[in-house]
Coordinates of all heavy atoms in Angstrom, one line a residue:
M1 N 0.8 -1.2 0.0 CA 0.0 0.0 0.0 C 0.9 1.3 0.0 O 0.5 2.3 -0.5 CB -0.9 -0.1 1.2 CG -2.0 1.0 1.2 SD -3.1 0.5 -0.1 CE -4.4 1.6 0.3
K2 N 2.0 1.2 0.6 CA 2.9 2.3 0.7 C 3.4 2.7 -0.7 O 3.5 3.9 -1.0 CB 4.1 2.0 1.6 CG 4.9 3.1 2.1 CD 5.9 2.6 3.1 CE 6.4 3.8 3.9 NZ 7.3 3.4 4.9
L3 N 3.7 1.7 -1.5 CA 4.2 2.0 -2.9 C 3.1 2.6 -3.7 O 3.3 3.5 -4.6 CB 4.7 0.7 -3.6 CG 6.0 0.1 -3.1 CD1 6.3 -1.2 -3.7 CD2 7.1 1.1 -3.4
F4 N 1.8 2.2 -3.5 CA 0.7 2.7 -4.2 C 0.5 4.2 -3.9 O 0.3 5.0 -4.8 CB -0.6 1.9 -3.9 CG -1.8 2.4 -4.5 CD1 -2.0 2.1 -5.9 CD2 -2.8 3.1 -3.9 CE1 -3.2 2.5 -6.5 CE2 -3.9 3.6 -4.5 CZ -4.1 3.3 -5.9
K5 N 0.6 4.6 -2.6 CA 0.4 5.9 -2.2 C 1.6 6.8 -2.8 O 1.3 7.9 -3.2 CB 0.4 6.0 -0.7 CG -0.8 5.6 -0.1 CD -0.8 5.7 1.4 CE -2.0 5.2 2.1 NZ -2.0 5.3 3.6
M6 N 2.8 6.3 -2.8 CA 3.9 7.0 -3.3 C 3.8 7.2 -4.8 O 4.0 8.3 -5.3 CB 5.2 6.2 -3.1 CG 6.5 6.9 -3.5 SD 8.0 5.9 -3.2 CE 7.8 4.6 -4.4
Y7 N 3.3 6.2 -5.5 CA 3.0 6.3 -6.9 C 2.0 7.4 -7.3 O 2.2 8.3 -8.1 CB 2.6 5.0 -7.5 CG 2.2 5.1 -9.0 CD1 3.1 5.1 -10.0 CD2 0.8 5.1 -9.3 CE1 2.7 5.2 -11.3 CE2 0.4 5.1 -10.6 CZ 1.4 5.3 -11.6 OH 1.0 5.3 -12.9
W8 N 0.9 7.4 -6.5 CA -0.2 8.4 -6.8 C 0.3 9.8 -6.4 O -0.1 10.8 -7.0 CB -1.5 8.0 -6.1 CG -2.1 7.0 -7.0 CD1 -2.3 5.7 -6.7 CD2 -2.8 7.2 -8.2 NE1 -2.9 5.1 -7.7 CE2 -3.2 6.0 -8.7 CE3 -2.9 8.3 -9.1 CZ2 -3.9 5.8 -9.9 CZ3 -3.5 8.2 -10.2 CH2 -4.0 6.9 -10.7
R9 N 1.0 9.9 -5.3 CA 1.5 11.3 -5.0 C 2.4 11.8 -6.1 O 2.3 13.0 -6.5 CB 2.4 11.2 -3.7 CG 1.5 11.4 -2.5 CD 2.4 11.6 -1.2 NE 1.9 10.7 -0.3 CZ 2.6 9.9 0.4 NH1 3.8 9.8 0.3 NH2 2.0 9.1 1.3
R10 N 3.3 11.0 -6.7 CA 4.2 11.4 -7.8 C 3.4 11.7 -9.0 O 3.6 12.6 -9.7 CB 5.2 10.2 -8.0 CG 6.2 10.7 -9.1 CD 7.2 9.6 -9.3 NE 6.5 8.4 -9.7 CZ 7.1 7.2 -9.9 NH1 8.4 7.1 -9.7 NH2 6.4 6.1 -10.3
T11 N 2.3 10.9 -9.3 CA 1.5 11.2 -10.4 C 0.7 12.5 -10.3 O 0.6 13.2 -11.3 CB 0.5 10.0 -10.6 OG1 1.2 8.8 -10.7 CG2 -0.4 10.2 -11.9
L12 N 0.2 12.8 -9.1 CA -0.6 14.0 -8.9 C 0.3 15.3 -9.0 O -0.3 16.3 -9.3 CB -1.3 13.9 -7.6 CG -2.4 12.9 -7.5 CD1 -3.0 12.9 -6.1 CD2 -3.5 13.2 -8.6
K13 N 1.6 15.1 -8.8 CA 2.5 16.3 -9.0 C 2.5 16.7 -10.4 O 2.8 17.9 -10.7 CB 3.9 15.9 -8.5 CG 3.9 15.9 -6.9 CD 5.3 15.6 -6.5 CE 5.4 15.4 -5.0 NZ 6.8 15.1 -4.6
K14 N 2.4 15.7 -11.4 CA 2.5 16.1 -12.8 C 1.2 15.5 -13.5 O 1.3 14.5 -14.2 CB 3.7 15.5 -13.4 CG 5.0 16.0 -12.8 CD 6.2 15.3 -13.4 CE 7.5 15.8 -12.8 NZ 8.7 15.2 -13.3
P15 N 0.1 16.1 -13.4 CA -1.2 15.6 -14.0 C -1.1 15.6 -15.5 O -1.9 14.8 -16.2 CB -2.3 16.4 -13.4 CG -1.6 17.7 -13.0 CD -0.2 17.3 -12.7
A16 N -0.3 16.4 -16.1 CA -0.2 16.4 -17.6 C 0.3 15.1 -18.1 O -0.1 14.7 -19.3 CB 0.7 17.6 -18.0
I17 N 1.1 14.4 -17.4 CA 1.5 13.1 -17.9 C 0.4 12.1 -18.0 O 0.3 11.3 -19.0 CB 2.6 12.5 -16.8 CG1 3.8 13.4 -16.8 CG2 3.0 11.1 -17.2 CD1 4.6 13.5 -18.1
V18 N -0.6 12.1 -17.1 CA -1.7 11.2 -17.2 C -2.5 11.6 -18.5 O -2.9 10.7 -19.2 CB -2.6 11.4 -15.9 CG1 -3.9 10.6 -16.1 CG2 -1.9 10.9 -14.7
L19 N -2.7 12.9 -18.7 CA -3.4 13.3 -19.9 C -2.6 12.9 -21.2 O -3.2 12.4 -22.2 CB -3.6 14.8 -19.9 CG -4.4 15.4 -21.1 CD1 -5.8 14.9 -21.2 CD2 -4.4 16.9 -21.0
L20 N -1.4 13.0 -21.2 CA -0.5 12.6 -22.3 C -0.6 11.1 -22.6 O -0.9 10.7 -23.8 CB 0.9 13.0 -22.1 CG 1.9 12.6 -23.2 CD1 1.7 13.5 -24.4 CD2 3.3 12.8 -22.7
W21 N -0.5 10.3 -21.6 CA -0.6 8.8 -21.8 C -2.0 8.4 -22.2 O -2.1 7.5 -23.0 CB -0.1 8.1 -20.6 CG 1.4 8.0 -20.5 CD1 2.2 8.7 -19.6 CD2 2.3 7.3 -21.3 NE1 3.5 8.5 -19.9 CE2 3.6 7.6 -20.9 CE3 2.1 6.5 -22.4 CZ2 4.7 7.0 -21.5 CZ3 3.2 5.9 -23.0 CH2 4.5 6.2 -22.6
S22 N -3.0 9.0 -21.7 CA -4.3 8.6 -22.1 C -4.7 9.1 -23.5 O -5.7 8.6 -24.1 CB -5.4 9.2 -21.1 OG -5.3 10.6 -21.0
S23 N -4.0 10.1 -24.0 CA -4.3 10.5 -25.4 C -3.6 9.7 -26.5 O -4.0 9.8 -27.6 CB -3.9 12.0 -25.5 OG -2.5 12.1 -25.5
V24 N -2.7 8.8 -26.1 CA -1.9 8.1 -27.1 C -2.9 7.2 -27.9 O -2.7 7.1 -29.1 CB -0.8 7.2 -26.4 CG1 -0.2 6.2 -27.3 CG2 0.3 8.2 -25.9
P25 N -3.8 6.4 -27.3 CA -4.7 5.6 -28.1 C -5.5 6.4 -29.1 O -5.7 5.9 -30.3 CB -5.6 4.9 -27.1 CG -4.9 4.9 -25.9 CD -4.0 6.2 -25.9
F26 N -5.9 7.6 -28.7 CA -6.7 8.4 -29.7 C -5.9 8.9 -30.8 O -6.3 9.0 -32.0 CB -7.4 9.6 -28.9 CG -8.3 9.1 -27.8 CD1 -8.0 9.3 -26.5 CD2 -9.5 8.5 -28.2 CE1 -8.9 8.8 -25.5 CE2 -10.4 8.1 -27.2 CZ -10.1 8.2 -25.9
V27 N -4.7 9.2 -30.5 CA -3.8 9.7 -31.6 C -3.5 8.6 -32.6 O -3.5 8.8 -33.8 CB -2.4 10.3 -31.0 CG1 -1.4 10.5 -32.1 CG2 -2.7 11.5 -30.2
L28 N -3.2 7.4 -32.1 CA -2.9 6.3 -33.0 C -4.1 5.9 -33.8 O -4.0 5.5 -35.0 CB -2.4 5.1 -32.1 CG -1.1 5.2 -31.5 CD1 -0.7 4.0 -30.6 CD2 0.0 5.5 -32.5
T29 N -5.3 5.9 -33.2 CA -6.6 5.6 -33.9 C -6.8 6.7 -35.0 O -7.2 6.3 -36.1 CB -7.7 5.6 -33.0 OG1 -7.5 4.7 -31.9 CG2 -9.0 5.4 -33.7
T30 N -6.5 7.9 -34.7 CA -6.6 9.0 -35.8 C -5.7 8.8 -36.9 O -6.1 8.9 -38.1 CB -6.4 10.4 -35.2 OG1 -7.3 10.5 -34.1 CG2 -6.6 11.5 -36.2
I31 N -4.4 8.4 -36.6 CA -3.5 8.1 -37.7 C -3.9 6.9 -38.5 O -3.8 6.9 -39.8 CB -2.1 7.9 -37.1 CG1 -1.5 9.2 -36.5 CG2 -1.1 7.3 -38.1 CD1 -0.3 9.0 -35.7
Y32 N -4.4 5.9 -37.9 CA -4.9 4.7 -38.6 C -6.1 5.1 -39.5 O -6.1 4.6 -40.7 CB -5.4 3.6 -37.6 CG -5.8 2.3 -38.2 CD1 -4.9 1.4 -38.6 CD2 -7.2 2.1 -38.4 CE1 -5.3 0.2 -39.2 CE2 -7.6 1.0 -39.0 CZ -6.7 0.0 -39.4 OH -7.1 -1.1 -40.0
I33 N -7.0 5.9 -39.0 CA -8.2 6.3 -39.8 C -7.7 7.1 -41.0 O -8.2 6.9 -42.2 CB -9.2 7.0 -39.0 CG1 -9.9 6.0 -38.1 CG2 -10.3 7.7 -39.9 CD1 -10.8 6.6 -37.1
L34 N -6.8 8.0 -40.8 CA -6.3 8.9 -41.9 C -5.6 8.0 -43.0 O -5.6 8.3 -44.1 CB -5.4 9.9 -41.4 CG -6.1 11.0 -40.6 CD1 -5.1 12.0 -39.9 CD2 -7.1 11.8 -41.4
A35 N -4.9 7.0 -42.5 CA -4.1 6.2 -43.5 C -5.0 5.2 -44.2 O -4.8 5.0 -45.5 CB -3.0 5.4 -42.7
F36 N -6.0 4.5 -43.6 CA -6.7 3.5 -44.2 C -8.2 3.8 -44.4 O -8.9 3.0 -45.1 CB -6.6 2.2 -43.4 CG -5.2 1.7 -43.2 CD1 -4.5 1.8 -42.0 CD2 -4.5 1.2 -44.3 CE1 -3.2 1.4 -41.9 CE2 -3.2 0.7 -44.2 CZ -2.6 0.8 -43.0
G37 N -8.7 4.9 -43.9 CA -10.1 5.2 -44.1 C -11.0 4.6 -43.1 O -10.5 3.7 -42.3
R38 N -12.2 4.9 -43.1 CA -13.2 4.3 -42.2 C -14.0 3.1 -42.7 O -14.8 2.6 -42.0 CB -14.2 5.4 -41.8 CG -13.7 6.5 -41.0 CD -14.8 7.5 -40.7 NE -14.3 8.6 -39.9 CZ -14.5 8.7 -38.6 NH1 -15.3 7.9 -38.0 NH2 -14.0 9.7 -38.0
S39 N -13.7 2.7 -43.9 CA -14.5 1.6 -44.5 C -14.4 0.3 -43.7 O -15.3 -0.5 -43.7 CB -14.1 1.4 -45.9 OG -12.7 0.8 -46.0
G40 N -13.2 0.0 -43.1 CA -13.1 -1.2 -42.4 C -12.8 -2.4 -43.2 O -12.5 -3.5 -42.7
S41 N -12.9 -2.3 -44.5 CA -12.7 -3.4 -45.4 C -11.2 -3.5 -45.8 O -10.7 -2.4 -46.2 CB -13.6 -3.4 -46.6 OG -13.2 -2.2 -47.4
I42 N -10.7 -4.6 -45.6 CA -9.2 -4.8 -45.9 C -9.1 -5.7 -47.1 O -9.8 -6.7 -47.2 CB -8.5 -5.4 -44.7 CG1 -8.6 -4.5 -43.5 CG2 -7.1 -5.7 -45.1 CD1 -8.1 -5.1 -42.2
A43 N -8.3 -5.2 -48.1 CA -8.1 -6.1 -49.3 C -7.4 -7.4 -48.8 O -6.5 -7.4 -48.0 CB -7.2 -5.3 -50.3
P44 N -7.9 -8.5 -49.4 CA -7.3 -9.8 -49.0 C -5.9 -9.9 -49.4 O -5.4 -9.5 -50.4 CB -8.2 -10.8 -49.7 CG -8.9 -10.1 -50.8 CD -8.9 -8.6 -50.4
S45 N -5.1 -10.5 -48.5 CA -3.7 -10.8 -48.8 C -3.6 -12.0 -49.6 O -4.4 -12.9 -49.5 CB -2.9 -11.0 -47.5 OG -3.0 -9.9 -46.6
V46 N -2.6 -12.0 -50.5 CA -2.4 -13.2 -51.4 C -1.4 -14.1 -50.7 O -0.2 -13.7 -50.5 CB -2.0 -12.7 -52.8 CG1 -1.7 -13.9 -53.7 CG2 -3.0 -11.8 -53.4
L47 N -1.8 -15.4 -50.5 CA -0.9 -16.4 -50.0 C -0.6 -17.4 -51.1 O -1.5 -18.0 -51.6 CB -1.5 -17.1 -48.8 CG -0.8 -18.3 -48.2 CD1 0.5 -17.8 -47.5 CD2 -1.6 -19.1 -47.3
L48 N 0.7 -17.5 -51.4 CA 1.1 -18.5 -52.4 C 1.3 -19.8 -51.8 O 1.9 -20.0 -50.8 CB 2.3 -18.1 -53.1 CG 2.3 -16.8 -54.0 CD1 3.6 -16.4 -54.5 CD2 1.3 -17.0 -55.1
L49 N 0.7 -20.8 -52.4 CA 0.8 -22.2 -51.9 C 1.7 -23.0 -52.9 O 1.3 -23.2 -54.1 CB -0.6 -22.8 -51.8 CG -0.6 -24.3 -51.3 CD1 -0.1 -24.3 -49.8 CD2 -2.0 -24.8 -51.3
V50 N 2.8 -23.5 -52.4 CA 3.7 -24.3 -53.3 C 3.6 -25.7 -52.7 O 4.1 -26.0 -51.7 CB 5.2 -23.8 -53.1 CG1 6.1 -24.7 -54.1 CG2 5.3 -22.4 -53.6
D51 N 2.8 -26.5 -53.4 CA 2.5 -27.9 -53.0 C 3.5 -28.9 -53.7 O 3.2 -29.3 -54.8 CB 1.1 -28.2 -53.3 CG 0.6 -29.5 -52.7 OD1 1.4 -30.1 -51.9 OD2 -0.5 -29.9 -52.9
E52 N 4.5 -29.2 -53.0 CA 5.5 -30.2 -53.5 C 5.1 -31.6 -53.2 O 5.6 -32.6 -53.8 CB 6.9 -29.9 -53.0 CG 7.4 -28.6 -53.4 CD 8.8 -28.2 -52.8 OE1 9.1 -28.9 -51.8 OE2 9.4 -27.3 -53.2
D53 N 4.2 -31.8 -52.3 CA 3.7 -33.1 -51.9 C 2.7 -33.7 -52.8 O 2.7 -34.9 -53.1 CB 3.2 -33.1 -50.4 CG 3.0 -34.4 -49.8 OD1 3.8 -35.3 -50.2 OD2 2.1 -34.5 -49.0
K54 N 1.7 -32.9 -53.2 CA 0.6 -33.2 -54.1 C -0.2 -34.4 -53.6 O -0.6 -35.3 -54.3 CB 1.1 -33.6 -55.5 CG 2.0 -32.6 -56.1 CD 1.2 -31.7 -57.1 CE 2.1 -30.9 -57.9 NZ 2.1 -29.5 -57.5
S55 N -0.3 -34.5 -52.2 CA -1.1 -35.6 -51.6 C -2.5 -35.1 -51.4 O -2.9 -34.0 -51.5 CB -0.5 -36.0 -50.3 OG -0.6 -35.0 -49.4
F56 N -3.3 -36.1 -51.0 CA -4.8 -35.8 -50.7 C -4.9 -34.9 -49.5 O -5.7 -34.0 -49.5 CB -5.5 -37.1 -50.4 CG -6.9 -37.0 -50.1 CD1 -7.8 -36.7 -51.1 CD2 -7.3 -37.2 -48.8 CE1 -9.2 -36.5 -50.8 CE2 -8.7 -37.1 -48.5 CZ -9.6 -36.7 -49.5
I57 N -4.0 -35.1 -48.5 CA -4.1 -34.3 -47.3 C -3.6 -32.8 -47.6 O -4.2 -31.9 -47.0 CB -3.2 -34.9 -46.2 CG1 -3.6 -36.3 -45.9 CG2 -3.1 -34.0 -45.0 CD1 -5.0 -36.4 -45.3
S58 N -2.6 -32.6 -48.4 CA -2.1 -31.3 -48.7 C -3.2 -30.4 -49.4 O -3.2 -29.2 -49.4 CB -0.8 -31.3 -49.5 OG -1.0 -31.8 -50.7
G59 N -4.1 -31.1 -50.1 CA -5.2 -30.4 -50.7 C -6.2 -29.7 -49.8 O -6.8 -28.7 -50.1
F60 N -6.2 -30.3 -48.5 CA -7.0 -29.6 -47.5 C -6.5 -28.3 -47.0 O -7.2 -27.5 -46.5 CB -7.2 -30.6 -46.3 CG -8.1 -31.7 -46.6 CD1 -7.7 -33.0 -46.6 CD2 -9.5 -31.5 -46.8 CE1 -8.5 -34.1 -46.8 CE2 -10.3 -32.6 -47.1 CZ -9.9 -33.8 -47.1
V61 N -5.2 -28.1 -47.2 CA -4.6 -26.9 -46.7 C -5.2 -25.7 -47.5 O -5.5 -24.6 -46.9 CB -3.1 -26.9 -46.8 CG1 -2.4 -25.6 -46.5 CG2 -2.5 -28.0 -46.0
K62 N -5.3 -25.8 -48.8 CA -5.8 -24.7 -49.6 C -7.3 -24.4 -49.1 O -7.7 -23.3 -49.0 CB -5.8 -25.1 -51.1 CG -6.3 -24.0 -51.9 CD -6.2 -24.3 -53.4 CE -6.8 -23.2 -54.2 NZ -6.7 -23.4 -55.6
Q63 N -8.0 -25.5 -48.9 CA -9.4 -25.3 -48.5 C -9.5 -24.7 -47.1 O -10.4 -23.9 -46.8 CB -10.2 -26.6 -48.5 CG -10.3 -27.2 -49.9 CD -11.0 -28.6 -49.8 OE1 -11.3 -29.1 -48.8 NE2 -11.2 -29.1 -51.0
A64 N -8.6 -25.0 -46.2 CA -8.6 -24.4 -44.9 C -8.4 -22.9 -44.9 O -9.0 -22.2 -44.1 CB -7.5 -25.1 -44.0
F65 N -7.6 -22.4 -45.8 CA -7.3 -21.0 -45.9 C -8.4 -20.3 -46.7 O -8.5 -19.1 -46.6 CB -6.0 -20.7 -46.5 CG -4.8 -20.9 -45.6 CD1 -4.0 -22.0 -45.7 CD2 -4.5 -19.9 -44.7 CE1 -2.9 -22.2 -44.8 CE2 -3.5 -20.1 -43.8 CZ -2.7 -21.2 -43.9
S66 N -9.2 -21.0 -47.4 CA -10.2 -20.4 -48.3 C -11.6 -20.3 -47.6 O -12.4 -19.5 -48.1 CB -10.4 -21.2 -49.6 OG -9.1 -21.2 -50.2
H67 N -11.9 -21.0 -46.6 CA -13.2 -21.0 -46.0 C -13.3 -20.2 -44.7 O -12.3 -19.9 -44.0 CB -13.6 -22.5 -45.6 CG -13.9 -23.3 -46.8 ND1 -13.0 -23.5 -47.9 CD2 -15.0 -24.0 -47.2 CE1 -13.5 -24.3 -48.8 NE2 -14.8 -24.6 -48.4
G68 N -14.5 -19.8 -44.4 CA -14.7 -19.1 -43.1 C -14.3 -17.7 -43.2 O -14.1 -17.1 -44.2
E69 N -14.0 -17.1 -42.0 CA -13.6 -15.7 -41.9 C -12.2 -15.6 -42.5 O -11.9 -14.5 -43.0 CB -13.6 -15.3 -40.4 CG -15.0 -15.1 -39.9 CD -15.0 -14.5 -38.5 OE1 -14.0 -13.8 -38.2 OE2 -15.9 -14.7 -37.8
L70 N -11.4 -16.6 -42.3 CA -10.0 -16.5 -42.9 C -10.1 -16.3 -44.4 O -9.2 -15.6 -45.0 CB -9.2 -17.7 -42.5 CG -7.7 -17.7 -42.9 CD1 -7.1 -16.5 -42.1 CD2 -7.1 -19.0 -42.5
G71 N -11.1 -16.9 -45.1 CA -11.2 -16.6 -46.5 C -11.5 -15.2 -46.9 O -11.2 -14.8 -48.0
D72 N -12.0 -14.4 -46.0 CA -12.3 -13.0 -46.3 C -11.0 -12.2 -46.3 O -10.9 -11.2 -46.9 CB -13.2 -12.4 -45.3 CG -14.6 -13.1 -45.3 OD1 -15.0 -13.6 -46.4 OD2 -15.3 -13.0 -44.3
Y73 N -10.0 -12.7 -45.6 CA -8.7 -11.9 -45.4 C -7.6 -12.5 -46.3 O -6.6 -11.8 -46.5 CB -8.3 -11.9 -44.0 CG -9.3 -11.2 -43.1 CD1 -10.1 -11.9 -42.2 CD2 -9.6 -9.9 -43.2 CE1 -11.0 -11.3 -41.4 CE2 -10.5 -9.2 -42.4 CZ -11.2 -10.0 -41.6 OH -12.2 -9.4 -40.7
V74 N -7.7 -13.8 -46.6 CA -6.6 -14.4 -47.4 C -7.1 -15.0 -48.6 O -8.1 -15.7 -48.7 CB -6.0 -15.5 -46.5 CG1 -4.9 -16.3 -47.2 CG2 -5.4 -15.0 -45.2
S75 N -6.4 -14.7 -49.7 CA -6.7 -15.2 -51.0 C -5.5 -16.2 -51.4 O -4.4 -15.8 -51.3 CB -6.8 -14.1 -52.1 OG -6.9 -14.7 -53.4
V76 N -5.9 -17.4 -51.6 CA -4.8 -18.5 -51.9 C -4.6 -18.6 -53.4 O -5.6 -18.8 -54.1 CB -5.2 -19.8 -51.3 CG1 -4.2 -20.8 -51.5 CG2 -5.5 -19.7 -49.8
A77 N -3.4 -18.6 -53.8 CA -3.0 -18.8 -55.2 C -1.9 -19.9 -55.2 O -1.1 -20.0 -54.3 CB -2.5 -17.5 -55.9
E78 N -1.9 -20.7 -56.2 CA -0.9 -21.7 -56.3 C 0.3 -21.3 -57.2 O 0.1 -20.7 -58.2 CB -1.6 -23.0 -56.9 CG -2.6 -23.6 -55.9 CD -3.1 -25.0 -56.4 OE1 -2.2 -25.7 -56.9 OE2 -4.3 -25.3 -56.2
A79 N 1.4 -21.8 -56.7 CA 2.6 -21.6 -57.5 C 3.2 -22.9 -57.7 O 3.3 -23.7 -56.7 CB 3.6 -20.7 -56.7
A80 N 3.7 -23.2 -58.9 CA 4.2 -24.5 -59.2 C 5.5 -24.8 -58.5 O 5.8 -25.9 -58.0 CB 4.3 -24.7 -60.7
T81 N 6.4 -23.8 -58.5 CA 7.7 -24.0 -57.9 C 8.0 -22.8 -56.9 O 7.3 -21.8 -57.0 CB 8.8 -24.0 -59.0 OG1 8.8 -22.8 -59.7 CG2 8.6 -25.1 -59.9
L82 N 9.0 -23.0 -56.2 CA 9.5 -21.9 -55.3 C 10.0 -20.7 -56.0 O 9.9 -19.6 -55.6 CB 10.5 -22.4 -54.3 CG 10.8 -21.6 -53.1 CD1 9.6 -21.3 -52.3 CD2 11.8 -22.3 -52.2
D83 N 10.6 -20.9 -57.2 CA 11.1 -19.9 -58.1 C 9.9 -19.0 -58.5 O 10.1 -17.7 -58.6 CB 11.9 -20.4 -59.3 CG 13.2 -21.1 -58.9 OD1 13.7 -20.7 -57.8 OD2 13.6 -22.0 -59.6
Q84 N 8.8 -19.6 -58.9 CA 7.6 -18.8 -59.3 C 7.1 -17.9 -58.1 O 6.7 -16.8 -58.3 CB 6.5 -19.7 -59.8 CG 6.8 -20.2 -61.1 CD 5.6 -21.1 -61.6 OE1 4.7 -21.4 -60.8 NE2 5.6 -21.5 -62.9
A85 N 7.2 -18.5 -56.9 CA 6.8 -17.7 -55.7 C 7.7 -16.5 -55.5 O 7.3 -15.5 -55.2 CB 6.8 -18.7 -54.5
E86 N 9.0 -16.8 -55.6 CA 9.9 -15.7 -55.4 C 9.7 -14.6 -56.5 O 9.9 -13.4 -56.2 CB 11.4 -16.2 -55.5 CG 11.8 -17.0 -54.3 CD 13.2 -17.6 -54.4 OE1 13.8 -17.4 -55.4 OE2 13.6 -18.4 -53.5
E87 N 9.4 -15.0 -57.7 CA 9.1 -14.0 -58.8 C 7.9 -13.2 -58.4 O 7.9 -12.0 -58.6 CB 8.9 -14.7 -60.1 CG 8.8 -13.8 -61.3 CD 10.0 -12.9 -61.5 OE1 11.1 -13.3 -61.3 OE2 9.8 -11.8 -62.1
A88 N 6.9 -13.8 -57.8 CA 5.7 -13.1 -57.5 C 6.0 -12.1 -56.3 O 5.4 -11.0 -56.3 CB 4.6 -14.1 -57.0
F89 N 6.9 -12.5 -55.4 CA 7.3 -11.5 -54.4 C 8.0 -10.3 -55.0 O 7.8 -9.2 -54.5 CB 8.2 -12.2 -53.4 CG 7.5 -13.1 -52.3 CD1 7.8 -14.4 -52.1 CD2 6.5 -12.5 -51.6 CE1 7.2 -15.2 -51.2 CE2 5.8 -13.3 -50.6 CZ 6.2 -14.6 -50.5
R90 N 8.9 -10.6 -55.9 CA 9.6 -9.5 -56.5 C 8.7 -8.5 -57.2 O 8.9 -7.3 -57.3 CB 10.6 -10.0 -57.6 CG 11.9 -10.4 -56.9 CD 13.0 -10.7 -57.9 NE 13.6 -11.9 -57.5 CZ 13.5 -13.1 -58.1 NH1 12.8 -13.2 -59.2 NH2 14.1 -14.2 -57.7
K91 N 7.6 -9.0 -57.8 CA 6.6 -8.2 -58.5 C 5.5 -7.6 -57.5 O 4.5 -7.0 -58.0 CB 5.9 -8.9 -59.6 CG 6.9 -9.3 -60.7 CD 6.2 -10.1 -61.8 CE 7.1 -10.4 -62.9 NZ 6.5 -11.2 -64.0
N92 N 5.6 -7.9 -56.2 CA 4.6 -7.5 -55.2 C 3.2 -8.0 -55.5 O 2.2 -7.3 -55.3 CB 4.6 -6.0 -55.1 CG 5.8 -5.4 -54.4 OD1 6.4 -6.1 -53.6 ND2 6.2 -4.2 -54.8
K93 N 3.2 -9.2 -56.0 CA 1.9 -9.8 -56.2 C 1.5 -10.8 -55.2 O 0.4 -11.5 -55.3 CB 1.9 -10.5 -57.6 CG 2.0 -9.6 -58.7 CD 1.9 -10.2 -60.1 CE 2.0 -9.2 -61.2 NZ 1.6 -9.7 -62.4
A94 N 2.3 -11.0 -54.1 CA 1.9 -11.9 -53.0 C 2.4 -11.3 -51.7 O 3.4 -10.6 -51.7 CB 2.6 -13.3 -53.3
S95 N 1.7 -11.7 -50.7 CA 2.1 -11.3 -49.3 C 2.8 -12.3 -48.5 O 3.5 -12.0 -47.6 CB 0.8 -10.9 -48.5 OG 0.1 -9.9 -49.2
G96 N 2.7 -13.6 -48.9 CA 3.3 -14.7 -48.2 C 3.3 -15.9 -49.0 O 2.6 -16.0 -50.0
A97 N 4.0 -16.9 -48.5 CA 4.1 -18.2 -49.2 C 4.1 -19.3 -48.2 O 4.7 -19.2 -47.1 CB 5.3 -18.3 -50.1
L98 N 3.5 -20.4 -48.6 CA 3.5 -21.6 -47.7 C 3.9 -22.7 -48.6 O 3.4 -23.0 -49.6 CB 2.1 -21.9 -47.2 CG 1.9 -23.2 -46.4 CD1 2.7 -23.0 -45.1 CD2 0.4 -23.4 -46.1
V99 N 5.0 -23.4 -48.2 CA 5.6 -24.5 -48.9 C 5.3 -25.8 -48.2 O 5.6 -25.9 -47.0 CB 7.2 -24.3 -49.1 CG1 7.7 -25.5 -49.9 CG2 7.5 -23.0 -49.8
I100 N 4.6 -26.7 -48.9 CA 4.4 -28.0 -48.3 C 5.4 -29.0 -48.9 O 5.3 -29.3 -50.1 CB 2.9 -28.5 -48.6 CG1 1.9 -27.5 -48.0 CG2 2.7 -29.9 -48.0 CD1 0.5 -27.7 -48.4
P101 N 6.4 -29.4 -48.2 CA 7.5 -30.2 -48.7 C 7.0 -31.6 -49.0 O 6.0 -32.1 -48.5 CB 8.5 -30.2 -47.7 CG 7.9 -29.9 -46.4 CD 6.6 -29.1 -46.8
E102 N 7.7 -32.3 -49.9 CA 7.3 -33.6 -50.3 C 7.5 -34.6 -49.1 O 8.5 -34.5 -48.4 CB 8.2 -34.1 -51.4 CG 7.7 -35.4 -52.0 CD 8.5 -35.8 -53.3 OE1 9.1 -34.9 -53.9 OE2 8.4 -37.0 -53.6
G103 N 6.6 -35.4 -48.9 CA 6.7 -36.4 -47.7 C 6.0 -35.9 -46.5 O 6.0 -36.4 -45.5

């Protein structure tokens, strides 16, 4: 309890600090709204899937990223090789890649 009283005495000596720290979330929210707008809709990210396994189970991975709420935020595209995925990154056509290795 002694530390609590000491903390509040120190805080009350500089009340502007409390105002400053409480304004940080509002400032960050304002910057976010100015940068991205109020629409709330986010363009889906493109996830490249390099399926080297080509098994029945690896086919479920693409479906897992395409269904439900995750499907609203992630668009899955297939790349035949890792080189094609790297080329898509260079051209800024993909946000991420998932490689399913053989076996």
Side-chain angles (χ1 to χ4, degrees):
M1 191 69 168
K2 197 173 196 178
L3 288 174
F4 181 75
K5 287 180 184 180
M6 183 180 68
Y7 173 76
W8 280 107
R9 272 192 228 127
R10 186 177 57 184
T11 303
L12 292 175
K13 287 181 183 178
K14 297 179 183 178
I17 297 295
V18 175
L19 181 63
L20 178 71
W21 280 108
S22 61
S23 67
V24 169
F26 298 109
V27 171
L28 292 177
T29 302
T30 303
I31 292 171
Y32 182 83
I33 289 172
L34 291 173
F36 298 109
R38 291 182 178 252
S39 66
S41 63
I42 300 172
S45 299
V46 177
L47 175 68
L48 293 175
L49 180 66
V50 182
D51 189 5
E52 296 174 348
D53 191 31
K54 307 264 191 252
S55 68
F56 180 71
I57 301 297
S58 66
F60 285 115
V61 174
K62 181 177 179 181
Q63 292 177 359
F65 281 104
S66 301
H67 286 59
E69 287 187 27
L70 189 58
D72 296 338
Y73 300 109
V74 177
S75 172
V76 179
E78 291 189 38
T81 63
L82 196 53
D83 293 332
Q84 285 182 351
E86 289 176 2
E87 183 65 28
F89 280 126
R90 278 191 224 106
K91 293 180 180 179
N92 289 329
K93 294 188 177 190
S95 303
L98 176 66
V99 179
I100 302 173
E102 189 173 344

